[in-house]
Structure formats: C-alpha cells, structure tokens
Amino acid sequence: GILQHPDGTVLKQLQPPPRGPREQEFYSKVYDPDCCDNVLLELRKYLPKYFGVWSPPTAPNDTYLKLEDVTRKFNKPCIMDVKIGQKSYDPYASAEKIQQQVSKYPLMEEIGFLVLGMRVYHISSDSYETQNQHYGRSLTKETVKDGISKFFHSGYCLRKDVVAASIQKIEKILEWFEGQTQLNFYASSLLFVYEGSCQATTVRLSDVTLAEKRVVPKGLLSGGDVLEYNNNIHVLNSTENGKIEASVSKSLSKFYALHKKACSKRHHSQLSLKVENLEQDNVWKSSTCIAQEHLNGNVLPQLEKVYYHMPAETKESANVEVRMIDFAHVFPSNAKDEGYIYGLKNLITVLQNILDN
C-alpha cells in the first residue's frame, strides 16, 4: 500500500531485501545531487520526484521511500498501472519464480505489457469504476484494445484528447530507452493519470436549457459567430480578443459529451450551452445555439473533427501524467532494454488504434 504523508508526498514501504534496497539504490543514484550523467538527468523527467527515505517516530525500523504524489494536482484522478516489458522476472529469478510469473500472464512476451489495474471516474454517474489485476490478465490479443479503451471513457465519450497526450508522453519515454544502454528494467510499470472531471472547464447543468420548436438558422451562434458545417470546419471566426481561444480544445470534450447527452433526451429541441473556462483567472464565455436537426446530422462528427485536426501541441495540453514506477528489478546493462522497448512500442500501437478507430 501507498500511504499519504501530511506534507503531500506519498510513502512506499521498502520491500524486503534485495528488492527494497535495490529500489532505494536506484532512486538515490538517479536523484543524487552530484549526478552529472545526462542519461540519468533526463530520466528524472519520467519518474516521480524522490525525497529520500522516511521512518515514523513510532516505528524507526520501518523505512519508506518518500515520493511525489503524481495524483495530487487532480480533482478526480483516473489512474491506470501498466506493467511494461516482455518479461516480468529479472535475470536472477529462480526457475520457480519464472514459472510463477509466466503462468500469471502467458501473453506477456507477445503483447509486451499487462494492465495491473485501473480506476476511472465516470462523469455520468459521478462514481469510479475499478478494475483489478485479474481484469488485465483476462485480456487477449483480440480484446486488449477494447480493454484499455475503458480507461479513457468518461461514461459519456472516449477521451481522445487524453489518448493523444498519453501517446506523446510514452513516445518521449521510448526516446529515452532508445538512447540508453545503462539500465534494464523488469517488472516496472507506467502510471497513467488524467483528470476525470471538468476541473479547468466547468459546464453547469443549470446552464443547459432545452426549448421546444424553436428554429435556429443553420450555423448561427448567439454571439454572431458562424460555425461552418462542412469538411473544412472552423470554430469561432472571432472572439472578444480577436483570436481563436486555445481553451476551445479543453472545453470540446465536455462540450461534445453534454450535447450528446442532452440531445438523446429530446428529439426536436434546441440546445443552449454556456461554457465557462475558469483556468488562470481568464474567463471565456460562449453561448452556443445549435438546431437539433443539425445535431442529429453531421455536427457531432464534425465536433470530433475539430479536435482531431488540432495541432499536436494543443492535444498535449490535456491534463495527463505518464510516469515510470516500481524499480525493485532494475539492473546495470551494456545493451538496450529491448523487452521494455518492445512493450512501449506495442502499447503505443494499441493506443493509436484506439485513437484512429
């Protein structure tokens, strides 16, 4: 179990030797104040920050690693733990240990990763769905894509912004692995965390009103702006400051989900939506009216296209963390960690398929 320290860090109890001391040594080496190894300095970007060890006054013999709480900044954190690599046992494992690990998930060598668990916040029910390691072990080559996509579903829609941002972050970790031959990682994981609620963008249900039998001219927004419903869709030709607001990208996922929910309830109605972006004290307000006939037609797919064609740097602005964790089986090496690289590439392929399909 991971414990919370009053100062906002988390405490991971040191495992029995040799695993615990090995993990402590790994963190100490990477975060040595005198470290001048560029490979290790780069690696810090992809780990939780390390703050040394800690022991409770009442039990001085109990040792804990003091680590950054990666979930701390999130309001409704969605969390997934994915073990990476073709082998979940290290080179010094006994035959019994190897057999035990292989029997847990025989597809590990072929797939290159294993979902150890996930906890997903669903906006629709204001509750969490939790899956344990048995769920991950039940996934096959045919079902792994759908199995992982559950983590990115809000209860309303697939969070493509989070999938895209996750891919970019994994690619950075892959770059590091492609360029280093110092360390090999076994039974190590990636921790995925993203914001499940609309923390930065608040959309209040009281701001959504449905009015029967009111007709809105095609493409007209209440502020006089025009939303084009063609294949080269443009959003908000002008705003108060004369520039397209970057906050559109952050509002879009919830914007689309709320439209979809409201529209499924009334068949011939008009939807008025107010979106307030409260991030960094900059308030952006837009009142949008779209006729129901267009919502039943091609507007919803077009809203997805707006996001899909946004620049990569905008996609990466999704509130997502991907960090490497669990280092009880890290060993010096003089070659690339091909097993870990294989797992990362396979995971990226699966996430890309989720995004594309």
Side-chain angles (χ1 to χ4, degrees):
I2 300 292
L3 305 177
Q4 187 96 38
H5 191 279
D7 66 5
T9 59
V10 292
L11 302 169
K12 179 181 180 181
Q13 189 163 22
L14 212 64
Q15 298 177 71
R19 292 174 296 168
R22 190 185 295 132
E23 185 165 32
Q24 182 184 350
E25 182 185 357
F26 170 80
Y27 274 115
S28 298
K29 183 177 180 180
V30 174
Y31 284 94
D32 186 338
D34 298 324
C35 177
C36 55
D37 185 331
N38 288 332
V39 170
L40 299 184
L41 292 175
E42 175 76 13
L43 179 59
R44 291 181 184 179
K45 297 178 184 178
Y46 313 118
L47 313 182
K49 291 184 179 67
Y50 174 64
F51 301 100
V53 295
W54 179 87
S55 296
T58 53
N61 292 328
D62 290 347
T63 305
Y64 294 81
L65 300 173
K66 205 162 182 283
L67 302 168
E68 173 190 6
D69 181 1
V70 180
T71 71
R72 182 176 171 84
K73 68 179 181 179
F74 296 92
N75 181 33
K76 297 288 187 181
C78 297
I79 305 167
M80 179 169 66
D81 185 338
V82 182
K83 186 183 289 187
I84 305 292
Q86 292 179 282
K87 297 177 180 177
S88 56
Y89 53 88
D90 65 52
Y92 303 99
S94 65
E96 182 183 1
K97 178 71 172 178
I98 292 172
Q99 181 57 40
Q100 178 197 52
Q101 289 297 314
V102 170
S103 64
K104 282 183 179 180
Y105 195 56
L107 285 174
M108 191 76 180
E109 186 166 359
E110 187 174 355
I111 293 179
F113 60 85
L114 167 63
V115 176
L116 294 179
M118 65 175 72
R119 187 167 180 260
V120 189
Y121 177 73
H122 286 169
I123 299 173
S124 52
S125 59
D126 188 26
S127 62
Y128 279 94
E129 177 187 353
T130 302
Q131 302 289 353
N132 61 21
Q133 56 186 317
H134 299 293
Y135 172 79
R137 290 176 191 161
S138 72
L139 299 178
T140 65
K141 288 183 294 182
E142 292 73 29
T143 63
V144 68
K145 179 172 78 77
D146 291 338
I148 287 182
S149 68
K150 284 174 72 80
F151 175 65
F152 299 100
H153 207 284
S154 70
Y156 282 129
C157 63
L158 182 69
R159 289 289 303 275
K160 288 191 173 185
D161 58 327
V162 176
V163 181
S166 298
I167 290 172
Q168 291 188 355
K169 289 179 181 293
I170 300 171
E171 285 174 341
K172 292 290 186 184
I173 295 172
L174 176 60
E175 276 182 34
W176 181 84
F177 271 91
E178 293 279 20
Q180 72 90 24
T181 56
Q182 295 185 29
L183 299 168
N184 278 4
F185 295 73
Y186 302 90
S188 184
S189 292
L190 289 184
L191 184 71
F192 293 76
V193 189
Y194 73 88
E195 181 55 62
S197 70
C198 283
Q199 187 179 36
T201 304
T202 303
V203 181
R204 296 188 303 226
L205 289 178
S206 60
D207 288 334
V208 179
T209 59
L210 295 170
E212 295 290 343
K213 297 180 181 178
R214 290 176 58 188
V215 179
V216 180
K218 181 178 179 181
L220 181 63
L221 304 185
S222 62
D225 293 313
V226 175
L227 179 61
E228 300 282 352
Y229 300 149
N230 55 37
N231 291 330
N232 299 310
I233 191 166
H234 299 286
V235 176
L236 300 182
N237 290 334
S238 62
T239 58
E240 289 178 350
N241 64 0
K243 297 179 180 178
I244 294 177
E245 290 283 350
S247 53
V248 170
S249 66
K250 296 182 180 179
S251 306
L252 190 57
S253 179
K254 177 66 175 178
F255 177 81
Y256 164 70
L258 203 50
H259 273 71
K260 190 173 183 181
K261 181 186 178 189
C263 296
S264 66
K265 294 182 178 178
R266 301 283 183 95
H267 187 62
H268 296 294
S269 56
Q270 168 196 329
L271 183 63
S272 298
L273 183 92
K274 255 184 200 174
V275 181
E276 291 185 0
N277 190 307
L278 307 176
E279 190 176 34
Q280 298 176 351
D281 299 326
N282 291 324
V283 179
W284 169 63
K285 296 182 180 180
S286 174
S287 180
T288 305
C289 301
I290 302 177
Q292 176 63 40
E293 59 183 291
H294 301 309
L295 288 168
N296 284 340
N298 66 352
V299 175
L300 294 180
Q302 294 291 7
L303 284 172
E304 289 190 353
K305 285 185 181 181
V306 173
Y307 170 73
Y308 193 77
H309 291 101
M310 282 178 181
E313 60 269 21
T314 306
K315 292 182 185 180
E316 197 176 13
S317 67
N319 203 359
V320 180
E321 290 287 351
V322 179
R323 304 288 186 93
M324 296 171 61
I325 58 171
D326 297 337
F327 306 111
H329 301 277
V330 179
F331 295 92
S333 174
N334 56 9
K336 285 185 181 180
D337 190 342
E338 297 294 351
Y340 203 104
I341 289 172
Y342 176 89
L344 289 178
K345 287 181 175 179
N346 251 18
L347 182 56
I348 289 171
T349 299
V350 170
L351 292 178
Q352 193 63 55
N353 286 338
I354 292 172
L355 194 61
D356 294 342
N357 299 328

